[in-house]
Amino acid sequence: MTTIRFIREGIDVQCKPGENLRDLVIKEKLQLYGLKGILGNCGGAGQCSTCFVSVEGGPKNSLSPLTPVEEEKLKNRPENWRLACQTLINSSSIILTKPQSPPPNLELLKESAENKKLPR
Ligand code: FES
């Protein structure tokens, strides 16, 4: 088992390596989508660019490499952003959902998340 730490929600979620990040977020009933994605998303097909997450910590290879779809869709986005539907979990990682609308206390949340030991 591995752990995904969701810093906006303040929770750690256990999952199996190889699990899809979007599937995990939905299974845990966390909010992945902003308004645009709530109104209409592609269901994980890599077409709508509404399932953004940012990777805020964890080992470099904790998630699968960028897919060709992500390389196209994330061209003008920060380097640590991913499309959750295209991302497979390799090992423990720290994730921010909806990085396009960061919480006002983001720096505090990041610091708190980084200070707690992340299980492998
Ligand atoms: S759900 Fe549409 S791109 Fe990820």
Side-chain angles (χ1 to χ4, degrees):
M1 293 298 262
T2 190
T3 301
I4 300 299
R5 179 164 293 154
F6 290 99
I7 61 174
R8 180 187 298 272
E9 297 79 5
I11 61 168
D12 285 358
V13 174
Q14 301 287 307
C15 63
K16 292 182 184 141
E19 201 163 339
N20 177 279
L21 185 54
R22 176 183 179 270
D23 292 348
L24 178 67
V25 171
I26 290 172
K27 186 172 75 181
E28 294 296 321
K29 300 185 178 9
L30 306 179
Q31 187 53 260
L32 176 62
Y33 297 108
L35 182 59
K36 184 179 165 199
I38 291 170
L39 294 175
N41 65 76
C42 69
Q47 297 302 307
C48 67
S49 296
T50 62
C51 62
F52 296 123
V53 296
S54 64
V55 183
E56 302 294 340
K60 267 232 176 303
N61 60 352
S62 61
L63 302 172
S64 58
L66 287 181
T67 65
V69 166
E70 288 180 289
E71 286 179 10
E72 176 63 29
K73 302 280 186 188
L74 297 172
K75 264 185 193 156
N76 300 316
R77 303 289 181 174
E79 279 185 17
N80 66 333
W81 283 29
R82 298 294 306 262
L83 293 176
C85 71
Q86 301 294 299
T87 304
L88 301 179
I89 298 160
N90 293 331
S91 62
S92 296
S93 189
I94 300 174
I95 297 293
L96 174 67
T97 52
K98 298 190 295 178
Q100 67 274 32
S101 53
N105 59 344
L106 177 59
E107 289 308 315
L108 201 62
L109 292 174
K110 279 166 62 170
E111 193 180 314
S112 170
E114 289 163 3
N115 285 340
K116 284 191 290 180
K117 187 171 172 22
L118 190 62
R120 288 267 155 193

